């Protein structure tokens, strides 16, 4: 993977696999096989900061994913301490995308399918999850809870319905798998560890599918009260803009 970034004037990355060309329906995203480019002024609804907090995925993979919580240290504390030790700020948005691809390729890997007990979830659904979640990593929430970066993929069910032509039921199912982390504690623990690479934990503004408020990877310690208030303020307007991108 080779990030190539000029954040305010557009950035790109080459990933190991080709993304669905229907991502070109989302303004500001250009997909050409394995090459993805994003034009910030077109893509983002709000784009106030061009820095993100990351941890190197290789270090996460080798040192954190194998750690086990104890009666003294919970998995959340393990992740927080890891981010404090290894986290770094970057303005390389291409690196954010490539790191997110590593994270979600791990979380939504096909080997989970046989044991899920969810026959309606297919390998194709996992591919959709990997792609959409990669773009979601560009969203950003500050420690005071202020939502500084918001793109269409904040609204996960709406964006996936636009790109992948999903009906309401299938789009809702995809969203539930995304923020339900497979509906079991094993996958939740896995998710907490993996998201350390993106500098925080996965937080959703919605209660469940009917609410469709989306979310982002949020730094530990961020104000959830401010987060919820800001989300309520922009949700309806920007959600409508995402649905407006549907193919005729």
């Amino acid at each position: 993977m080779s990030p190539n970034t000029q954040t305010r004037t557009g950035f790109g990355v080459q990933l190991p696999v080709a993304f669905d060309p229907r991502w070109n329906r989302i303004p500001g995203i250009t997909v050409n096989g394995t090459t993805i480019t994003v034009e910030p002024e077109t893509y983002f609804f709000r784009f106030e900061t061009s820095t993100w907090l990351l941890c190197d995925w290789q270090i996460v993979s080798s040192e954190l994913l194998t750690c086990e919580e104890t009666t003294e240290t919970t998995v959340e504390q393990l992740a927080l301490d890891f981010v404090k030790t290894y986290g770094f700020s970057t303005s390389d948005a291409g690196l954010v995308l490539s790191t997110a691809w590593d994270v979600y390729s791990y979380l939504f890997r096909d080997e989970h399918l046989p044991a899920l007990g969810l026959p309606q979830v297919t390998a194709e659904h996992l591919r959709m999850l990997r792609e959409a979640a990669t773009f979601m990593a560009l969203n950003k929430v500050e420690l005071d809870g202020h939502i500084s970066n918001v793109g269409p993929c904040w609204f996960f069910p709406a964006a996936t319905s636009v790109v992948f032509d999903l009906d309401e039921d299938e789009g809702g199912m995809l969203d539930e798998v995304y923020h339900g982390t497979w509906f079991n504690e094993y996958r939740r623990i896995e998710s907490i560890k993996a998201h350390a690479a993106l500098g925080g934990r996965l937080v959703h503004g919605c209660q469940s599918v009917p609410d469709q408020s989306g979310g982002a990877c949020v730094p530990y310690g961020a104000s959830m009260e401010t987060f919820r208030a800001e989300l309520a303020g922009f949700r309806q307007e920007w959600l409508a803009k995402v649905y407006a991108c549907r193919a005729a």
Side-chain angles (χ1 to χ4, degrees):
M1 290 168 285
S2 52
N4 178 15
T5 303
Q6 291 182 327
T7 305
R8 292 278 175 185
T9 58
F11 52 84
V13 65
Q14 186 169 354
L15 296 175
V17 300
F19 270 35
D20 194 304
R22 290 174 292 179
W23 280 108
N24 292 299
R25 295 174 179 175
I26 302 293
I29 291 179
T30 301
V31 169
N32 183 8
T34 60
T35 301
I36 296 169
T37 56
V38 177
E39 296 294 333
E41 298 302 321
T42 306
Y43 173 72
F44 288 99
F45 297 136
R46 178 188 290 171
F47 187 52
E48 297 177 351
T49 177
S50 56
T51 61
W52 292 264
L53 179 64
L54 297 179
C55 293
D56 182 86
W57 172 250
Q58 295 305 317
I59 300 177
V60 173
S61 181
S62 63
E63 299 192 19
L64 183 59
L65 296 185
T66 57
C67 287
E68 299 292 340
E69 71 175 5
T70 69
T71 56
E72 301 295 328
T73 306
T74 67
V75 66
E76 290 86 357
Q77 188 65 49
L78 287 171
L80 174 59
D81 290 345
F82 191 92
V83 172
K84 287 180 178 179
T85 301
Y86 294 104
F88 62 93
S89 179
T90 182
S91 59
D92 188 339
L95 181 60
V96 176
L97 289 173
S98 64
T99 300
W101 172 254
D102 287 333
V103 169
Y104 293 112
S105 293
Y106 169 75
L107 289 177
F108 299 116
R109 56 197 189 274
D110 291 354
E111 70 181 65
H112 285 319
L113 287 172
L116 277 180
L118 298 170
Q120 68 273 36
V121 179
T122 67
E124 180 66 8
H125 289 126
L126 298 194
R127 182 184 67 82
M128 296 176 189
L129 286 163
R130 291 191 292 266
E131 292 183 10
T134 295
F135 287 116
M136 283 192 73
L138 296 172
N139 299 320
K140 189 178 179 186
V141 178
E142 306 300 324
L143 276 173
D144 63 1
H146 172 62
I147 300 171
S148 51
N149 291 353
V150 184
C153 284
W154 180 286
F155 304 99
F156 193 91
T160 53
S161 72
V162 167
V163 173
F164 301 114
D165 299 308
L166 304 182
D167 61 26
E168 185 174 348
D169 288 342
E170 191 174 13
M173 178 196 73
L174 200 69
D175 187 48
E176 288 283 59
V177 173
Y178 176 63
H179 69 68
T181 53
W182 304 107
F183 308 102
N184 65 55
E185 182 65 8
Y186 302 107
R187 300 287 77 78
R188 188 190 75 86
I189 290 172
E190 199 171 70
S191 176
I192 289 169
K193 293 178 182 179
H195 277 100
L198 298 176
R201 60 182 176 186
L202 189 62
V203 173
H204 290 265
C206 51
Q207 301 301 317
S208 63
V209 165
D211 188 50
Q212 290 200 40
S213 294
C217 188
V218 176
Y220 286 98
S223 169
M224 289 295 98
E225 182 177 353
T226 302
F227 172 86
R228 291 184 65 184
E230 289 216 343
L231 179 56
F234 67 64
R235 176 183 176 276
Q236 291 293 342
E237 177 186 357
W238 292 342
L239 183 60
K241 287 184 178 180
V242 178
Y243 280 125
C245 298
R246 281 175 169 163

